[in-house]
Short mmCIF file of all heavy atoms in Angstrom, two decimals:
data_model
loop_
_atom_site.label_atom_id
_atom_site.label_comp_id
_atom_site.label_asym_id
_atom_site.label_seq_id
_atom_site.Cartn_x
_atom_site.Cartn_y
_atom_site.Cartn_z
N LYS A 103 15.73 5.85 30.76
CA LYS A 103 17.18 5.94 30.53
C LYS A 103 17.95 4.76 31.13
O LYS A 103 19.02 4.40 30.62
CB LYS A 103 17.74 7.26 31.09
CG LYS A 103 17.36 8.46 30.26
CD LYS A 103 18.08 9.72 30.69
CE LYS A 103 17.50 10.89 29.91
NZ LYS A 103 18.32 12.07 29.89
N VAL A 142 26.75 11.65 37.77
CA VAL A 142 25.63 12.31 37.10
C VAL A 142 24.34 11.59 37.50
O VAL A 142 24.24 10.37 37.35
CB VAL A 142 25.81 12.30 35.56
CG1 VAL A 142 24.68 13.08 34.89
CG2 VAL A 142 27.15 12.92 35.19
N LYS A 144 20.40 11.15 36.91
CA LYS A 144 19.46 11.40 35.80
C LYS A 144 18.08 10.84 36.12
O LYS A 144 17.97 9.69 36.58
CB LYS A 144 19.95 10.74 34.51
CG LYS A 144 21.17 11.40 33.93
CD LYS A 144 21.57 10.79 32.59
CE LYS A 144 22.76 11.54 32.01
NZ LYS A 144 23.21 10.99 30.73
N GLY A 149 13.30 13.10 30.62
CA GLY A 149 14.36 14.11 30.62
C GLY A 149 14.59 14.61 29.19
O GLY A 149 14.52 13.84 28.25
N TYR A 150 14.82 15.87 29.04
CA TYR A 150 15.24 16.41 27.74
C TYR A 150 15.92 17.74 27.98
O TYR A 150 15.66 18.41 28.98
CB TYR A 150 14.06 16.58 26.77
CG TYR A 150 13.14 17.71 27.16
CD1 TYR A 150 13.23 18.95 26.54
CD2 TYR A 150 12.23 17.55 28.19
CE1 TYR A 150 12.42 19.99 26.93
CE2 TYR A 150 11.41 18.59 28.59
CZ TYR A 150 11.51 19.81 27.94
OH TYR A 150 10.72 20.84 28.34
N ASP A 151 16.83 18.09 27.06
CA ASP A 151 17.56 19.35 27.18
C ASP A 151 18.11 19.56 28.59
O ASP A 151 18.06 20.67 29.14
CB ASP A 151 16.67 20.54 26.79
CG ASP A 151 16.46 20.61 25.28
OD1 ASP A 151 17.15 19.86 24.56
OD2 ASP A 151 15.63 21.41 24.83
N GLY A 152 18.59 18.49 29.19
CA GLY A 152 19.22 18.62 30.50
C GLY A 152 18.24 18.68 31.67
O GLY A 152 18.66 18.68 32.82
N GLN A 153 16.92 18.73 31.37
CA GLN A 153 15.94 18.71 32.45
C GLN A 153 16.02 17.31 33.07
O GLN A 153 15.90 16.33 32.36
CB GLN A 153 14.51 18.89 31.93
CG GLN A 153 14.32 20.01 30.96
CD GLN A 153 13.98 21.30 31.69
OE1 GLN A 153 13.57 21.26 32.84
NE2 GLN A 153 14.19 22.40 31.04
N THR A 155 18.75 16.15 34.57
CA THR A 155 20.15 15.70 34.61
C THR A 155 20.92 16.62 35.56
O THR A 155 20.89 17.83 35.39
CB THR A 155 20.78 15.75 33.20
OG1 THR A 155 20.12 14.79 32.38
CG2 THR A 155 22.27 15.43 33.22
N GLU A 185 25.27 7.72 37.12
CA GLU A 185 26.32 7.17 36.25
C GLU A 185 27.61 7.97 36.43
O GLU A 185 27.60 9.08 36.99
CB GLU A 185 25.88 7.17 34.78
CG GLU A 185 25.67 8.55 34.22
CD GLU A 185 25.08 8.52 32.81
OE1 GLU A 185 24.43 7.53 32.44
OE2 GLU A 185 25.28 9.50 32.08
N GLU A 186 28.69 7.38 35.94
CA GLU A 186 29.97 8.07 36.06
C GLU A 186 29.93 9.37 35.24
O GLU A 186 29.29 9.43 34.19
CB GLU A 186 31.11 7.17 35.58
CG GLU A 186 31.09 6.90 34.10
CD GLU A 186 32.29 6.08 33.62
OE1 GLU A 186 33.43 6.46 33.90
OE2 GLU A 186 32.05 5.04 32.96
N PHE A 187 30.60 10.38 35.74
CA PHE A 187 30.77 11.61 34.98
C PHE A 187 31.89 11.35 33.98
O PHE A 187 32.99 10.92 34.35
CB PHE A 187 31.15 12.76 35.91
CG PHE A 187 31.41 14.05 35.19
CD1 PHE A 187 30.37 14.90 34.85
CD2 PHE A 187 32.71 14.42 34.84
CE1 PHE A 187 30.60 16.09 34.16
CE2 PHE A 187 32.95 15.60 34.15
CZ PHE A 187 31.89 16.44 33.82
N VAL A 188 31.61 11.57 32.71
CA VAL A 188 32.63 11.33 31.67
C VAL A 188 33.32 12.67 31.36
O VAL A 188 32.67 13.59 30.83
CB VAL A 188 31.98 10.76 30.38
CG1 VAL A 188 33.04 10.51 29.32
CG2 VAL A 188 31.19 9.50 30.69
N PHE A 190 34.62 14.24 29.06
CA PHE A 190 34.81 14.06 27.61
C PHE A 190 35.67 15.18 27.01
O PHE A 190 35.69 16.30 27.50
CB PHE A 190 33.45 14.00 26.91
CG PHE A 190 32.53 15.14 27.25
CD1 PHE A 190 32.67 16.38 26.64
CD2 PHE A 190 31.51 14.97 28.18
CE1 PHE A 190 31.82 17.42 26.95
CE2 PHE A 190 30.65 16.03 28.50
CZ PHE A 190 30.82 17.26 27.88
N GLU A 193 31.78 16.16 22.57
CA GLU A 193 30.52 15.42 22.43
C GLU A 193 30.24 15.28 20.94
O GLU A 193 30.43 16.24 20.17
CB GLU A 193 29.38 16.14 23.14
CG GLU A 193 29.48 15.99 24.64
CD GLU A 193 28.24 16.47 25.36
OE1 GLU A 193 27.27 15.70 25.46
OE2 GLU A 193 28.24 17.62 25.82
N GLN A 216 27.27 21.68 24.07
CA GLN A 216 26.16 21.97 24.96
C GLN A 216 26.56 23.07 25.93
O GLN A 216 27.73 23.15 26.31
CB GLN A 216 25.80 20.74 25.80
CG GLN A 216 24.88 19.72 25.19
CD GLN A 216 25.27 19.20 23.83
OE1 GLN A 216 24.51 19.30 22.88
NE2 GLN A 216 26.46 18.66 23.70
N GLN A 219 23.78 21.93 29.50
CA GLN A 219 23.16 20.70 29.01
C GLN A 219 22.17 20.91 27.86
O GLN A 219 21.42 20.00 27.51
CB GLN A 219 22.51 19.92 30.16
CG GLN A 219 23.58 19.41 31.11
CD GLN A 219 23.13 19.27 32.53
OE1 GLN A 219 22.04 19.66 32.89
NE2 GLN A 219 23.98 18.71 33.36
N GLU A 258 23.63 10.18 20.58
CA GLU A 258 24.57 11.13 21.19
C GLU A 258 25.70 10.34 21.83
O GLU A 258 25.45 9.32 22.49
CB GLU A 258 23.88 11.96 22.27
CG GLU A 258 22.76 12.82 21.75
CD GLU A 258 21.97 13.49 22.89
OE1 GLU A 258 22.47 13.56 24.02
OE2 GLU A 258 20.85 13.90 22.62
N PHE A 260 29.94 10.41 23.65
CA PHE A 260 31.08 11.12 24.21
C PHE A 260 32.34 10.58 23.56
O PHE A 260 32.46 9.37 23.32
CB PHE A 260 31.21 10.84 25.71
CG PHE A 260 30.02 11.29 26.53
CD1 PHE A 260 29.34 10.39 27.34
CD2 PHE A 260 29.62 12.62 26.52
CE1 PHE A 260 28.26 10.80 28.11
CE2 PHE A 260 28.54 13.04 27.29
CZ PHE A 260 27.86 12.13 28.09
N ASN A 270 26.02 8.09 24.83
CA ASN A 270 25.30 8.76 25.91
C ASN A 270 23.81 8.51 25.83
O ASN A 270 23.21 8.00 26.77
CB ASN A 270 25.58 10.28 25.91
CG ASN A 270 24.73 11.01 26.94
OD1 ASN A 270 24.38 10.43 27.98
ND2 ASN A 270 24.36 12.23 26.66
N GLU A 271 23.23 8.81 24.70
CA GLU A 271 21.77 8.74 24.66
C GLU A 271 21.24 8.50 23.25
O GLU A 271 21.81 8.99 22.28
CB GLU A 271 21.20 10.07 25.17
CG GLU A 271 19.75 9.96 25.50
CD GLU A 271 19.17 11.22 26.10
OE1 GLU A 271 19.67 12.32 25.81
OE2 GLU A 271 18.20 11.08 26.85
P1 LIG B 401 18.95 15.01 28.03
O1 LIG B 401 18.17 13.75 27.82
O2 LIG B 401 18.27 15.96 28.94
O3 LIG B 401 19.46 15.61 26.76
P2 LIG B 401 21.57 13.96 28.50
O4 LIG B 401 21.74 12.70 29.21
O5 LIG B 401 21.80 13.94 27.03
O6 LIG B 401 20.19 14.59 28.90
O7 LIG B 401 22.54 15.04 29.14
C1 LIG B 401 22.61 16.37 28.68
C2 LIG B 401 24.05 16.82 28.69
O8 LIG B 401 24.60 16.64 30.01
C3 LIG B 401 24.97 16.02 27.80
O9 LIG B 401 24.93 16.49 26.49
C4 LIG B 401 26.31 16.27 28.47
O10 LIG B 401 26.82 17.55 28.14
C5 LIG B 401 25.95 16.24 29.93
N1 LIG B 401 26.09 14.86 30.45
C6 LIG B 401 25.14 13.92 30.50
N2 LIG B 401 25.61 12.77 31.01
C7 LIG B 401 26.90 12.97 31.29
C8 LIG B 401 27.97 12.16 31.82
N3 LIG B 401 27.76 10.90 32.21
N4 LIG B 401 29.19 12.74 31.95
C9 LIG B 401 29.42 14.02 31.59
N5 LIG B 401 28.47 14.84 31.09
C10 LIG B 401 27.23 14.33 30.94
#
Side-chain angles (χ1 to χ4, degrees):
K103 287 189 187 198
V142 184
K144 290 185 177 179
Y150 71 99
D151 286 351
Q153 313 270 342
T155 294
E185 65 187 24
E186 68 176 307
F187 177 84
V188 180
F190 52 80
E193 286 191 83
Q216 276 52 238
Q219 293 151 353
E258 297 172 18
F260 299 124
N270 174 30
E271 195 176 28

